[in-house]
Amino acid sequence: MFKKKLALIAGAVMLATSLAACGKKEEATTTAPTTEATTEATTEAATSTDTMLGDAASSANLPKFVYLGDDPVIAPICAYLVDVLAADYPAADVSIPCIQVVALDESNPDDVLVYGSYWIYNYKLDGDTLVCESGGHYPGLIHLKTVDNKYEVASFDVVEDGSNYDESAKEIFGDHYDDFTKLVSDDASREEIRKNIIGDYVADNKLSITKYQDYGQEPKELFGTEPATEAAADTTEAAPEEAPAEEATTGGDYSMVTNLDTASVESICSQARTAYMNGDWATLSGLIAYPITMYPDVVCNNSDEFIAYMDGKHVDDSDMEEIEKETCKDMFQNGQGICLGTGQIWLSGIDDGNNLKVISVTGIVE
């Protein structure tokens, strides 16, 4: 999950799809940066058809994105991206960041250096889908300072765009330049991180959102998997179907998800929770609808592959705290399925709703 796995992730960004890259050093403020370079790039972002895909007028009353993890470095960076950089764009229903850290230097608590690739995506809610209407890419070096025993963003050295891009990146990233170039060449990893961040936001806020979508592309499912091939779709009954856009609820009636009675649903969910907490991967593997995609984009097609993937892994401590609070009574549900904890496990109805299987497992670390 995003909350636990952002530190030093070798993720990905395709610069060819950059929606806005800008500027020189920015001093952190409570409003949008006002340096000349940033203003110029912001103007370009607001007028270019490549960067602005629509006017995201806020009307869905979605909760603001707030990082709820326990990483003291990631928290202030998320706040900065949402509160400062997102302010450069027309109002959206929600702005969600995507952070990939290349290197971290905490040797000086008054100037913590966070080298990374930083994205902000601005979404409008359309039914059960978050549609990205604008956003930007800001690779560079964020400086953190310590205030009241917490980090705050002090300034941001942003890689320049255009002909100065490479020279600027080498100057800012220094010895980390090669790692940075590898990171920005891997689009798949960045997209997986982005999906996890959105999924955390949806689960944390108990929203009935099931997909996200970029301009001109098909919507992407946030939870569960789709069959890897047409043949797999024909032979794997457990492949979860696309969820309808239904209103989220809690309570003992799970007919939105499955035809099973309440006692059966709660029994299956309890089995999944117990196996997850105990690291009993053999038992959990028998409760899964295959294929299932595990972090980072590893597809397990059957029980043996899932058990092999889980070898040497365990549940992250903070995820364990969340799942321990789950009673498996009156569980949150939406059109996608039933949520355990804050999204550590999702289950959905299969076999025309006559069975209930696990479709997503998160919070797993080495």
Side-chain angles (χ1 to χ4, degrees):
M1 292 176 67
F2 162 68
K3 300 177 189 174
K4 321 315 188 272
K5 296 175 180 172
L6 277 174
L8 305 182
I9 291 176
V13 179
M14 283 293 285
L15 295 178
T17 63
S18 175
L19 302 181
C22 55
K24 300 178 182 178
K25 185 169 183 175
E26 301 175 358
E27 297 300 323
T29 64
T30 56
T31 58
T34 57
T35 65
E36 180 178 352
T38 303
T39 302
E40 179 182 358
T42 302
T43 302
E44 293 172 357
T47 57
S48 168
T49 56
D50 291 333
T51 61
M52 194 55 56
L53 307 179
D55 185 2
S58 181
S59 60
N61 198 30
L62 290 176
K64 178 181 177 180
F65 175 90
V66 177
Y67 172 71
L68 299 180
D70 53 10
D71 191 317
V73 170
I74 297 303
I77 295 177
C78 281
Y80 178 78
L81 294 175
V82 171
D83 295 338
V84 178
L85 297 188
D88 285 342
Y89 302 92
D93 289 336
V94 64
S95 297
I96 301 179
C98 180
I99 299 174
Q100 299 163 277
V101 177
V102 177
L104 174 65
D105 181 355
E106 294 183 280
S107 58
N108 180 0
D110 293 322
D111 187 19
V112 174
L113 308 178
V114 191
Y115 301 84
S117 180
Y118 308 102
W119 287 75
I120 189 70
Y121 296 93
N122 305 305
Y123 298 94
K124 180 179 180 180
L125 183 62
D126 183 5
D128 67 342
T129 303
L130 285 177
V131 180
C132 184
E133 299 211 325
S134 66
H137 176 216
Y138 302 82
L141 170 59
I142 288 181
H143 298 259
L144 301 178
K145 61 183 179 181
T146 303
V147 179
D148 297 330
N149 296 318
K150 296 189 299 183
Y151 289 142
E152 292 183 1
V153 175
S155 61
F156 187 10
D157 302 334
V158 187
V159 173
E160 296 182 30
D161 57 2
S163 60
N164 293 327
Y165 173 82
D166 198 53
E167 180 180 351
S168 174
K170 288 180 179 178
E171 179 180 352
I172 290 174
F173 283 92
D175 293 340
H176 307 296
Y177 175 75
D178 288 343
D179 291 333
F180 168 68
T181 58
K182 292 178 182 177
L183 181 146
V184 299
S185 67
D186 186 356
D187 187 58
S189 294
R190 187 263 303 172
E191 194 63 26
E192 182 67 17
I193 295 169
R194 179 188 176 194
K195 183 177 77 170
N196 289 340
I197 295 170
I198 301 172
D200 280 345
Y201 168 77
V202 170
D204 289 338
N205 292 285
K206 306 294 186 183
L207 302 174
S208 56
I209 296 168
T210 65
K211 295 181 283 293
Y212 70 103
Q213 183 178 13
D214 287 327
Y215 180 76
Q217 299 184 19
E218 291 296 317
K220 299 178 181 178
E221 296 285 344
L222 285 172
F223 309 102
T225 60
E226 297 180 0
T229 64
E230 184 174 351
D234 293 335
T235 60
T236 307
E237 289 185 333
E241 298 178 357
E242 181 175 340
E246 296 188 63
E247 190 174 333
T249 66
T250 57
D253 180 6
Y254 301 102
S255 57
M256 178 187 296
V257 177
T258 177
N259 298 327
L260 297 177
D261 60 67
T262 299
S264 298
V265 169
E266 293 177 347
S267 174
I268 293 171
C269 290
S270 180
Q271 292 176 50
R273 172 183 176 271
T274 300
Y276 180 89
M277 291 173 58
N278 293 339
D280 183 358
W281 310 131
T283 296
L284 186 59
S285 72
L287 300 173
I288 292 174
Y290 296 99
I292 187 170
T293 301
M294 303 297 296
Y295 180 88
D297 203 26
V298 176
V299 178
C300 300
N301 294 294
N302 52 53
S303 176
D304 290 341
E305 290 183 6
F306 176 78
I307 294 173
Y309 168 84
M310 295 300 297
D311 184 40
K313 296 182 177 66
H314 64 279
V315 177
D316 181 87
D317 290 344
S318 53
D319 286 288
M320 185 67 79
E321 292 177 3
E322 295 298 330
I323 201 69
E324 285 175 348
K325 300 174 187 176
E326 178 61 66
T327 64
C328 293
K329 301 286 186 181
D330 297 331
M331 292 169 286
F332 171 81
Q333 61 179 317
N334 60 21
Q336 180 61 37
I338 298 170
C339 173
L340 302 189
T342 56
Q344 285 72 29
I345 302 173
W346 280 82
L347 301 94
S348 186
I350 64 169
D351 300 334
D352 294 325
N354 295 318
N355 205 341
L356 185 68
K357 288 285 188 176
V358 173
I359 60 170
S360 176
V361 179
T362 63
I364 304 300
V365 295
E366 296 278 356

